Amino acid sequence: GHSRKKDWGPLLSQYFNMRQSFKAVLLFMDIRHPLKETDIDLISLCRKSEVPVIPVLTKSDKLSKNKIAKTVLQVSKDLGGIDAYAVSSKDGVGFKQLSKLIQSF
């Protein structure tokens, strides 16, 4: 339910504080509905904890190439220039790029 969502804020910040070893947080969002309120809460929590966020937009097979590019740019812009990545597990798009990125941390 909705009330449970509010509880994870303090829990997560405790978790971040305990786990100094975090390199980055992968934030998976449906490309058709990115940056929901809970995503934005998590992003600001990561920023407070100085943990880099990697926005990953899933289900990119549901959109045209043009719409994917637009959404990736928009999300990136909304997050102050953080690169966003579009992936699709259905057609395997984007995972090579993403795993390269993860290995670079």
Side-chain angles (χ1 to χ4, degrees):
H2 188 70
S3 58
R4 291 241 304 283
K5 246 185 252 169
K6 288 280 167 246
D7 305 337
W8 58 253
L11 271 175
L12 271 179
S13 40
Q14 247 179 323
Y15 187 59
F16 281 148
N17 292 335
M18 272 169 24
R19 301 269 323 221
Q20 292 303 318
S21 60
F22 270 120
K23 299 273 194 250
V25 168
L26 288 168
L27 175 57
F28 290 93
M29 300 177 279
D30 187 322
I31 194 163
R32 297 162 302 176
H33 318 284
L35 299 177
K36 289 182 167 168
E37 194 187 338
T38 48
D39 299 326
I40 290 166
D41 290 347
L42 182 63
I43 290 161
S44 63
L45 181 65
C46 289
R47 285 195 168 139
K48 275 190 208 121
S49 312
E50 296 178 0
V51 178
V53 177
I54 302 166
V56 182
L57 303 170
T58 62
K59 304 195 171 134
S60 67
D61 54 277
K62 306 263 191 234
L63 299 181
S64 70
K65 286 235 187 317
N66 186 23
K67 190 89 176 82
I68 293 168
K70 273 194 182 139
T71 308
V72 165
L73 273 174
Q74 190 58 54
V75 168
S76 180
K77 208 174 94 182
D78 291 346
L79 295 180
I82 299 174
D83 283 336
Y85 295 84
V87 298
S88 161
S89 50
K90 197 175 157 202
D91 49 25
V93 164
F95 287 103
K96 216 174 242 169
Q97 198 186 10
L98 191 59
S99 63
K100 258 197 198 122
L101 176 74
I102 294 167
Q103 286 163 13
S104 74
F105 274 91

